[in-house]
Amino acid sequence: MRRLLQLIPVFFGATLLIYALVWAVPGDPFAGKCGERACPDSYVQFMTEKYHLDDPGRSSTSTTWVTC
């Protein structure tokens, strides 16, 4: 039972840490998606709108959790 209770803060701490590191890394999240060629602008725009990457951090997080 003790290990299960320890799992809760570890899970949320790791989730927040990974989320912060992803947003701290500079660059385009789709830069490596298309291999050596650059991704088409339509693809980048579609994925940015789909995952709400142009929104501020907190609103994109809440939108992502709600839509999952």
Side-chain angles (χ1 to χ4, degrees):
M1 184 66 158
R2 182 176 167 196
R3 287 186 187 227
L4 288 175
L5 291 176
Q6 289 176 341
L7 174 74
I8 295 168
V10 170
F11 173 75
F12 285 110
T15 301
L16 292 174
L17 178 67
I18 291 170
Y19 182 77
L21 288 174
V22 166
W23 280 101
V25 174
D28 184 16
F30 303 108
K33 279 288 210 192
C34 297
E36 294 181 12
R37 289 181 266 159
C39 292
D41 290 335
S42 60
Y43 172 76
V44 173
Q45 183 180 6
F46 173 74
M47 295 303 279
T48 301
E49 290 174 4
K50 179 179 179 181
Y51 292 109
H52 306 282
L53 296 177
D54 52 351
D55 295 346
R58 187 180 335 163
S59 68
S60 66
T61 305
S62 61
T63 305
T64 303
W65 281 99
V66 169
T67 57
C68 288

